[in-house]
Amino acid sequence: MVKTGILPIIGFRQNGRRGAYHYFRPNETGIEQAKHFISQVQLEKGDLPPIVDVEKEPRKKRIRDLRRELKTFLDAIESHYRIKPIIYTMDSFFQSYLSEGEFDDYP
């Protein structure tokens, strides 16, 4: 369940463009995180695509579960906003955990 006391979303504005950032919590479900993000973020024309920061290994799940939950999150966000989200992570994390091919199309 997404913790309600701390919003994992940061809104920002750069050069007149707005954006929203989500810190992906690897031990929580992707669908609950996506529902929370969608409930908090209303994108407007010209806004940057949603950004999801993935940088932690799960403590309670396997890496394949992390990939599945992240994909669930990304699919829900893309379906809702009709734009492909951006994955923000370190190259070493991507190479170690996300380079199986299913995330190659994400900026």
Side-chain angles (χ1 to χ4, degrees), residues 5-106:
I6 301 171
L7 291 178
I9 299 167
I10 299 172
F12 61 89
R13 187 179 294 271
Q14 181 176 349
N15 299 328
R17 296 183 76 190
R18 299 177 329 136
Y21 164 98
H22 176 78
Y23 180 84
F24 191 80
R25 296 173 186 245
N27 295 302
E28 298 176 15
T29 70
I31 196 64
E32 288 300 318
Q33 292 183 70
K35 287 178 183 178
H36 179 72
F37 186 91
I38 290 166
S39 77
Q40 298 297 310
V41 176
Q42 289 76 42
L43 294 181
E44 298 174 3
K45 185 177 179 178
D47 286 348
L48 298 169
I51 298 169
V52 59
D53 181 356
V54 186
E55 58 185 69
K56 292 269 188 180
E57 297 173 45
R59 287 178 283 144
K60 302 174 185 175
K61 298 179 180 181
R62 296 178 181 187
I63 295 301
R64 69 175 179 233
D65 297 327
L66 165 72
R67 287 193 292 266
R68 184 187 69 242
E69 296 298 343
L70 176 60
K71 186 70 170 114
T72 297
F73 174 86
L74 293 167
D75 288 347
I77 296 300
E78 185 172 355
S79 175
H80 180 80
Y81 294 109
R82 307 250 186 259
I83 190 167
K84 192 171 281 292
I86 296 170
I87 296 176
Y88 176 83
T89 192
M90 295 174 287
D91 186 55
S92 60
F93 188 89
F94 186 87
Q95 294 304 321
S96 295
Y97 305 116
L98 304 178
S99 63
E100 303 266 323
E102 65 187 313
F103 301 105
D104 291 352
D105 291 340
Y106 290 89

